[in-house]
Amino acid sequence: MASEREVRARLQRAGQEHLLRFCAELAPGPRAALLAELGALQPEALSEHCRRAAAACAHPPGPPPDLAARLRPLPPECVGSAARCDPEMRRLWEEEGFRQIALNKVAVLLLAGGQGTRLGVTYPKGMYQVGLPSQKTLYQLQAERIQRVEQLAGQRHGTRCTIPWYIMTSEFTLGPTARFFKEHDFFHLDPNNVIMFEQRMLPAVTFDGRAILEQKHKVAMAPDGNGGLYCALSDHQILEDMGRRGVEFVHVYCVDNILVRLADPVFIGFCVLRGADCGAKVVEKADPEEPVGVVCQVDGVPQVVEYSEISPETAQLRRPDGSLLYSLGNICNHFFTRDFLQMVSSKFEPLLKPHVAVKKVPYVDEEGNPVKPIKPNGIKMEKFVFDVFQFAKSFVAFEVSREEEFSPLKNAASAARDNPATTRCALLMQHYRWALQAGAHFLDAYGARLPELPSLPSSREPPAICEISPLVSYSGEGLEEYLQGREFRSPLILDENQARALQL
């Protein structure tokens, strides 16, 4: 470990010597922890980070003045659709996806996010239960989808196959996540195929470019955003691990989408058959004001433009058929080849521009008293995973149904949207639709058949509660043998045991 003298010299070069102002009064343990934390920071990188944070924060918010003239929709040849494609083409995409999975060439990579602060909890978001009858967490739903799609691919191709699950955590969430998986026996996945790794942490910075001391012995640190993936892949030799396993294609997604289809064979197959090195699942924007980024082109290069960067006039532009011109909403659901990730990690990562997040950052004042600010006082710099689209040689977007594939959990119950209730309703409504399509009928408390209403909004509770385990059906397939022509009272919980019972 570097000595105090060495650390002080480094901080002087970085213009951040104030971080040691309480060092002399610290006990040996906290003092050693502070020196270890500061000793890991390279002075040139720290100086540049603080300078860039202050400079970026000084820029006025809002769209760049010339963006509208540089913006274009993606060319039609770069966009596919799960709903508007020829059924035979969809079958070919799905078959190719299953073939690659059966060959053990597909992995999934979870951007596990931070603590569920916006949900009002202190543990990782993947451990959250939204109130399903089964009480399953987001992590469990995702683990079971991996098992089911492995099973489907194996059945089609007469083999056993594995989809490795890589999980990027932060310093704050690695320990709780690892313990949670162990406590739940890795949800019956092989622990050797669940690989957890940490992203880097960066100091939070004041508006004038000074790193913030959160406690006398601790710098205020924050994860470097989901775009920290590319450094983390190098830091932990993840791409080398993928290479040893024979993985060629990686499905990257965020933890909070309760409807996410991990290693979706249709999406994988579409991207592979198109020869894409980079792809993005998208949904049609609900309206011009919806706060999601748009997948489009800027200066002829694929990019996600944040909703705050697009002027209202541009957001409301429409095609001749009345649909939005910039309609492809980003849902942080991506396809990458391993070669592309290798190229980004080794060559292009330094070119990614950090994004500014102005936050309320706890700190200690000049007397060492802890302060919890009531208004934003600091800058956290983040990189975004989708900022690498610009480096793709062959980029594609794949439009999917929002009702079937996108319902994010972002907010506490008090919020109007993207909360535990809306995500729970989205999943239960999906499963209700699947049951009706498979020929099930639901009864009320008196034994009378309930009206079949498959087109209700996914934000509403369905007329009957129906939860289908991912171990029974990945995307609605194979349910006829359990449900066709049968009547059920609500709630119907179709797990593996119930499925076996219905087969008897």
Side-chain angles (χ1 to χ4, degrees), residues 112-356:
Q115 295 159 308
T117 309
R118 286 168 63 185
L119 292 171
V121 298
T122 57
Y123 50 80
K125 193 182 288 187
M127 294 162 54
Y128 195 86
Q129 295 182 15
V130 300
L132 295 172
S134 67
Q135 295 298 299
K136 289 178 181 178
T137 62
L138 296 177
Y139 280 149
Q140 183 171 355
L141 292 170
Q142 293 168 20
E144 292 180 354
R145 286 174 190 148
I146 290 174
Q147 293 174 68
R148 177 61 178 169
V149 80
E150 287 176 340
Q151 181 187 52
L152 291 171
Q155 289 172 349
R156 286 186 178 224
H157 292 274
T159 186
R160 293 192 65 175
C161 55
T162 297
I163 300 172
W165 193 9
Y166 297 89
I167 302 176
M168 187 178 79
T169 68
S170 71
E171 174 186 296
F172 305 128
T173 57
L174 178 59
T177 300
R179 287 193 295 273
F180 188 76
F181 271 72
K182 288 176 183 176
E183 289 165 3
H184 292 83
D185 194 25
F186 286 81
F187 306 103
H188 305 293
L189 293 169
D190 183 343
N192 293 319
N193 297 324
V194 180
I195 304 96
M196 299 182 192
F197 61 102
E198 282 185 58
Q199 65 187 112
R200 293 181 183 180
M201 305 288 284
L202 294 173
V205 180
T206 61
F207 299 140
D208 59 354
R210 288 160 58 88
I212 296 174
L213 206 56
E214 181 179 347
Q215 301 175 44
K216 290 182 179 182
H217 64 281
K218 184 169 179 56
V219 180
M221 304 287 280
D224 56 355
N226 56 30
L229 169 66
Y230 307 107
C231 283
L233 292 175
S234 297
D235 291 345
H236 301 282
Q237 293 80 51
I238 298 299
L239 295 172
E240 289 80 357
D241 184 83
M242 290 180 180
R244 287 191 294 270
R245 296 170 182 266
V247 169
E248 296 294 337
F249 309 111
V250 185
H251 177 211
V252 176
Y253 69 100
C254 277
V255 69
D256 57 12
N257 179 12
I258 198 170
L259 301 181
V260 64
R261 295 185 180 180
L262 290 85
D264 177 13
V266 179
F267 182 42
I268 299 293
F270 168 77
C271 292
V272 171
L273 291 177
R274 287 289 187 96
D277 55 357
C278 177
K281 267 193 182 182
V282 296
V283 297
E284 184 177 5
K285 284 187 66 173
D287 55 67
E289 291 77 31
E290 184 182 11
V292 296
V294 172
V295 182
C296 57
Q297 286 187 341
V298 179
D299 298 328
V301 175
Q303 190 170 317
V304 174
V305 178
E306 286 298 286
Y307 65 93
S308 58
E309 297 176 334
I310 298 179
S311 68
E313 295 77 17
T314 301
Q316 293 176 27
L317 292 174
R318 295 188 179 271
R319 301 177 187 274
D321 65 1
S323 63
L324 290 173
L325 183 63
Y326 296 104
S327 64
L328 303 182
N330 176 50
I331 59 173
C332 200
N333 191 317
H334 309 311
F335 166 95
F336 300 115
T337 64
R338 181 169 58 86
D339 287 344
F340 178 76
L341 291 174
Q342 184 69 61
M343 180 179 65
V344 169
S345 297
S346 62
K347 183 178 179 182
F348 293 124
E349 195 285 332
L351 303 179
L352 298 179
K353 294 181 179 179
H355 299 259
V356 171

Side-chain angles (χ1 to χ4, degrees), residues 475-503:
S475 58
E477 81 290 334
L479 294 174
E480 289 79 7
E481 64 175 308
Y482 313 118
L483 305 180
Q484 180 76 50
R486 294 188 174 184
E487 295 180 332
F488 301 93
R489 279 188 165 87
S490 175
L492 168 62
I493 313 301
L494 185 59
D495 57 17
E496 286 185 295
N497 293 331
Q498 177 71 356
R500 281 192 289 269
L502 289 170
Q503 284 180 312

Side-chain angles (χ1 to χ4, degrees), residues 57-121:
C57 189
H59 288 165
D66 61 341
L67 180 63
R70 300 159 55 206
L71 211 60
R72 295 290 184 275
L74 286 181
E77 61 270 20
C78 294
V79 182
S81 171
R84 292 193 286 269
C85 66
D86 175 80
E88 176 61 16
M89 183 57 69
R90 181 189 170 93
R91 187 192 68 77
L92 291 174
W93 293 337
E94 183 178 58
E95 184 53 45
E96 177 63 17
F98 277 127
R99 188 176 78 86
Q100 298 296 343
I101 293 168
L103 291 170
N104 296 307
K105 291 188 175 183
V106 177
V108 292
L109 196 156
L110 166 60
L111 306 172
Q115 295 159 308
T117 309
R118 286 168 63 185
L119 292 171
V121 298

